[in-house]
């Protein structure tokens, strides 16, 4: 079976001038891939009729499916609908169903059925398209299927939740009728404690034994390398054996598998050992608590946090010693360890994570430059602490401190509980 | 003066199958635009030699500059360097400077000068390229300038901080010698309290008076609309007048200008009135504290937070009444208001923000479905509170609650202090 090929086009000046990051392409690529398409390319272009028409014309007989997002809003800068009507040689006509949808949406949002002209224009659609009605926004999707073109062309709004809703509720059912699709997937191993080239070196002979179609890809990011293997569609004994070998070679260096995050791996250990956790954060400013509470069901083990940005909160709520703060400083091993101890007591938890450091861009000194971070972890009263030296970028330092804290916690938990 | 045109190509299977969001394109587009290029297009393709060569060949005489990122790592899936050597008809040769750079990097990271073969291969470069030495990673950048091609082609590593470092330290100096560039910029107004079509309607006659090149673009997201105007390169009296008119029409609906965030607008009010702030978070799990502490210098007004996920922390640290929790429930106006009051007292702040709600996916009831959020704000003891009903997605609910809290705080602050 040959997989149908797909192309993703995102339209918007805001993308082309770098005002925003295009996240729609990633979401669409992920879902089209899983649903069975072979994605070949992603293109971003401006809100410009000539660009839209020329780009579409250059690809419409190269791919089986083209999914376009963006440029369907009610304002003058949105011109995708008009450009498509022109390319597909048709005119815009009012669609009664869409008009009702728009009225309902405006009623729900503003409590009025008075449509302004712009709302009204949202109900105009190219005469020869299949309309994809939108229950979560005012812009409908459009589907063009013409025998003279190889590709089916689909246009969706750029607002992410509307695009996603239309994909799931309108496109998935359409795809299953239109294409012969076989779902695809991959396995993803999050690995810590290795450099990219060190890991490739370690896996060299394992990798050499793999058939070509299973060759791994390596993706490094902030202390973790993600290794990807394309999983065969059917159960495959040989593939399973290669995966077992990988797990044997890497052991506990594999900190999460597939879409799981290290937070989920940690949550499993916490739940199965009935442990509770809290944080005491200074430089990370709540980011660790945020990353723990992103996981649904976190309330069964996460109890809370004390974010102690100012020193007197470190003393009043976390019981950090005033002398420690004045002699060793807020960014010190002693302060981090006292914060961890204080949080575990104040929030009555088995485990606490404490961070204190200089996130930057200011506040560094010669002995403690920007990027100096202390992390302490208390597990049932036993405290582990470690110093890190990151870079000068505030946001990156906060993110790396959060990752480092999670990795330190996981490796400590593994020593005790596994 | 005609602006040089630029194309961005990102290479990586992980992008094409939607495993990761490509953030390099946005960063490059933003900087190339500001530096004076006209970005025409962004393309993402697979780690595939044929695709790389065909794509490059189709654009090399269409644009003045092509910037490629990705596929320069030390593992077998990275093939950009080989593909470029083949396209530019040259062979890979060892570069002594790069070899020294790699040795230094490995020494710094691993404390050893033993290079494995993969590290060693990082020092091979196409013979006819200009090498862009990399001080923050092992993969050098490459620049190809051949008289027979219109475009100068540049290849950078895909690791974001290496790509950024090479852009700033190697490309910016090169561009200033190679191209005649005029920096460009735009003004961005963050507007709250309007729907997209309502805003366009309100601004209709103002917009009609604008010359074509200043026509605004509208970008809606989670309660805020960003309106963009391309700013003329020289001081322009007429443009300034249009901006003043816009500010007059919208007044306090403009919550931030340009790259400022609503957090920065709030920080200015806090600083100029010498106010301190803290948070008491349940459903947002630290995300509000995190968004406040992202701003450099936040320690001058942000003192700390109590994240009270479990009810007994709401009572023990925030002094929420036990009866309130059992009769009204944790997600109620009363609980939110008591949390705000308790936090302001415990953390000794002028202002506190409290959130309590059901982020989902579970925990909803008939009267309090998933997405029900209460936000309370205490300013010098005076408490404002408001209920919100968002959707069913946990991450979106956390993000929207955070935005809503910031907007509620700003509008309350504006009433009192401006």
């Amino acid at each position: 079976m040959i997989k149908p090929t797909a192309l993703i086009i995102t339209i918007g000046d805001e993308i082309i001038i770098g005002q925003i990051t295009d996240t729609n392409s990633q979401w669409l690529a992920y879902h089209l891939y899983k649903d069975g398409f072979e994605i070949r390319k992603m293109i971003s272009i401006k809100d410009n009729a000539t660009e839209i028409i020329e780009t579409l014309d250059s690809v419409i007989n190269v791919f089986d499916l083209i999914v376009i997002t963006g440029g369907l809003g009610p304002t003058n800068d949105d011109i995708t609908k008009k450009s498509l009507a022109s390319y597909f040689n048709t005119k815009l006509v009012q669609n009664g169903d869409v008009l009702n949808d728009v009225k309902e949406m405006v009623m729900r949002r503003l409590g009025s059925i008075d449509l302004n002209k712009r709302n009204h224009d949202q109900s105009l659609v190219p005469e020869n398209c299949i309309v994809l009605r939108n229950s979560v926004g005012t812009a409908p999707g459009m589907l063009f299927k013409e025998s003279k073109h190889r590709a089916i062309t689909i246009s969706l709004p750029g607002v992410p939740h509307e695009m996603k809703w239309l994909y799931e509720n309108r496109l998935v059912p359409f795809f299953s009728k239109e294409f012969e699709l076989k779902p695809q997937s991959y396995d993803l191993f999050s690995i810590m404690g290795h450099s990219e080239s060190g890991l490739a070196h370690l896996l060299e002979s394992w990798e050499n034994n793999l058939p070509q179609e299973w060759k791994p890809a390596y993706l490094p990011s902030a202390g973790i390398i993600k290794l990807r293997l394309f999983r065969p569609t059917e159960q495959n004994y040989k593939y399973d054996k290669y995966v077992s070998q990988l797990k044997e070679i890497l052991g506990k260096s594999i900190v999460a598998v597939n879409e799981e995050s290290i937070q989920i791996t940690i949550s499993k250990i916490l739940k199965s050992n009935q442990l509770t956790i809290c944080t005491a954060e200074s430089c990370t400013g709540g980011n660790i608590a945020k990353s723990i509470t992103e996981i649904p069901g976190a309330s069964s083990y996460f109890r809370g946090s004390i974010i102690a940005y100012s020193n007197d909160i470190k003393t009043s709520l976390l019981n950090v010693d005033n002398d420690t703060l004045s002699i060793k400083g807020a960014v010190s091993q002693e302060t981090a360890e006292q914060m961890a101890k204080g949080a575990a007591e104040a929030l009555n938890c088995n485990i606490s994570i404490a961070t204190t450091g200089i996130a930057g861009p200011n506040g560094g000194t010669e002995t403690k430059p920007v990027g100096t971070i202390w992390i302490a972890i208390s597990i049932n009263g036993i405290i582990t602490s470690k110093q890190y030296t990151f870079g000068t970028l505030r946001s990156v330092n906060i993110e790396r401190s959060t990752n480092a804290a999670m990795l330190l916690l996981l490796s400590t938990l593994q020593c005790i509980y596994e």
Side-chain angles (χ1 to χ4, degrees), chain A:
Chain A
M1 197 184 87
I2 297 167
K3 285 186 268 184
T5 56
L7 168 79
I8 297 164
I9 301 177
T10 50
I11 298 176
D13 288 351
E14 69 277 12
I15 295 170
I16 288 294
I17 62 170
Q19 186 188 333
I20 65 157
T21 299
D22 164 26
T23 56
N24 283 350
S25 291
Q26 181 272 327
W27 193 94
L28 281 169
Y30 180 79
H31 285 82
L32 288 166
Y33 167 77
K34 294 245 161 179
D35 288 342
F37 289 92
E38 185 188 342
I39 318 294
R40 281 278 177 81
K41 199 180 262 195
M42 315 198 299
I43 301 178
S44 301
I45 53 173
K46 287 201 257 190
D47 292 300
N48 174 296
T50 317
E51 291 274 348
I52 294 172
I53 290 168
E54 281 181 9
T55 301
L56 189 54
D57 198 53
S58 71
V59 293
I60 200 157
N61 290 313
V62 180
F63 301 93
D64 299 310
L65 178 74
I66 297 169
V67 182
I68 303 171
T69 68
L72 299 183
T75 54
N76 293 334
D77 52 315
D78 292 306
I79 56 157
T80 301
K81 193 159 66 179
K82 266 187 259 174
S83 308
L84 291 176
S86 146
Y87 180 73
F88 289 106
N89 209 8
T90 186
K91 62 178 194 292
L92 295 176
V93 294
Q94 181 157 87
N95 181 295
D97 289 339
V98 176
L99 184 61
N100 285 335
D101 292 345
V102 173
K103 278 183 184 163
E104 228 174 78
M105 187 60 54
V106 171
M107 183 69 202
R108 217 187 308 162
R109 284 190 186 162
L110 307 173
S112 140
I113 53 155
D114 283 350
L115 297 191
N116 61 36
K117 185 176 175 304
R118 285 163 204 283
N119 293 140
H120 212 270
D121 286 354
Q122 294 285 73
S123 70
L124 299 178
V125 294
E127 196 167 21
N128 62 359
C129 81
I130 297 171
V131 174
L132 307 171
R133 288 171 68 185
N134 180 351
S135 294
V136 294
T138 53
M142 296 166 281
L143 188 152
F144 299 87
K145 184 183 170 182
E146 296 192 338
S147 54
K148 65 177 169 184
H149 295 134
R150 171 169 165 193
I152 290 172
T153 303
I154 291 163
S155 162
L156 301 176
V159 179
H161 80 271
E162 297 184 30
M163 179 277 289
K164 293 173 190 174
W165 189 92
L166 282 163
Y167 185 94
E168 281 161 355
N169 293 280
R170 303 289 183 238
L171 298 193
V172 170
F174 172 79
F175 290 158
S176 68
K177 276 182 287 179
E178 186 69 25
F179 297 102
E180 247 192 84
L181 294 170
K182 221 171 192 174
Q184 323 173 72
S185 59
Y186 50 78
D187 286 313
L188 211 55
F189 302 91
S190 297
I191 297 156
M192 73 173 180
H194 296 275
S195 72
E196 193 182 358
S197 67
L199 181 64
H201 196 67
L202 179 66
L203 295 178
E204 193 142 21
S205 66
W206 170 80
E207 192 174 330
N208 285 339
N209 283 329
L210 287 177
Q212 187 55 39
E213 71 268 29
W214 293 343
K215 289 295 177 204
Y218 298 76
L219 193 75
S221 84
I224 288 180
I225 296 170
K226 298 207 168 185
L227 184 144
R228 185 190 62 226
L229 288 175
F230 285 108
R231 196 194 299 157
T233 11
E234 257 94 68
Q235 177 80 27
N236 185 310
Y237 163 75
K238 261 188 130 174
Y239 178 82
D240 294 345
K241 206 183 74 183
Y242 287 121
V243 169
S244 305
Q245 287 171 351
L246 180 72
K247 287 182 175 169
E248 221 164 275
I249 299 169
L250 294 174
K252 287 181 179 172
S253 302
I254 299 176
V255 293
V257 175
N258 290 337
E259 279 156 56
E260 300 210 332
S261 60
I262 184 166
Q263 281 77 357
I264 291 182
T265 306
I266 290 170
S267 77
K268 287 181 182 167
I269 301 177
L270 298 180
K271 278 195 265 187
S272 69
N273 294 284
Q274 294 188 295
L275 300 165
T276 53
I277 192 168
C278 64
T279 74
E281 306 183 45
S282 184
C283 62
T284 47
N287 199 43
I288 298 179
K290 182 219 150 208
S291 85
I292 294 174
T293 56
E294 271 169 356
I295 312 297
S299 57
S300 72
Y301 47 87
F302 178 74
R303 289 175 47 79
S305 295
I306 292 169
I307 301 171
Y309 233 54
S310 63
N311 278 350
D312 61 282
I313 291 175
K314 291 187 183 81
T315 54
S316 67
L317 292 181
L318 291 171
N319 214 13
V320 174
D321 195 34
N322 257 320
D323 286 350
T324 305
L325 287 173
S326 57
I327 297 166
K328 302 289 181 173
V331 179
S332 65
Q333 180 168 19
E334 291 79 1
T335 298
E337 294 191 350
Q338 289 179 24
M339 286 171 72
K341 183 165 179 285
E345 285 167 5
L347 299 163
N348 190 22
C349 285
N350 304 104
I351 299 170
S352 64
I353 307 173
T355 61
T356 180
I358 303 149
N362 304 311
T365 65
E366 205 164 306
T367 49
K368 295 175 186 175
V370 167
T372 306
I373 316 282
W374 272 98
I375 298 175
I377 287 172
S378 169
I379 302 186
N380 292 324
I382 296 163
I383 295 179
T384 313
S385 59
K386 199 169 164 185
Q387 186 185 349
Y388 300 81
T389 311
F390 299 128
T392 53
L393 273 176
R394 184 178 182 85
S395 60
V396 177
N397 286 337
I398 293 172
E399 209 49 47
R400 291 187 69 176
S401 302
T402 302
N403 285 349
M406 290 292 128
L407 290 174
L408 183 61
L409 173 61
L410 179 59
S411 59
T412 316
L413 283 174
Q414 283 174 335
C415 285
I416 303 176
Y417 293 98
E418 286 189 354

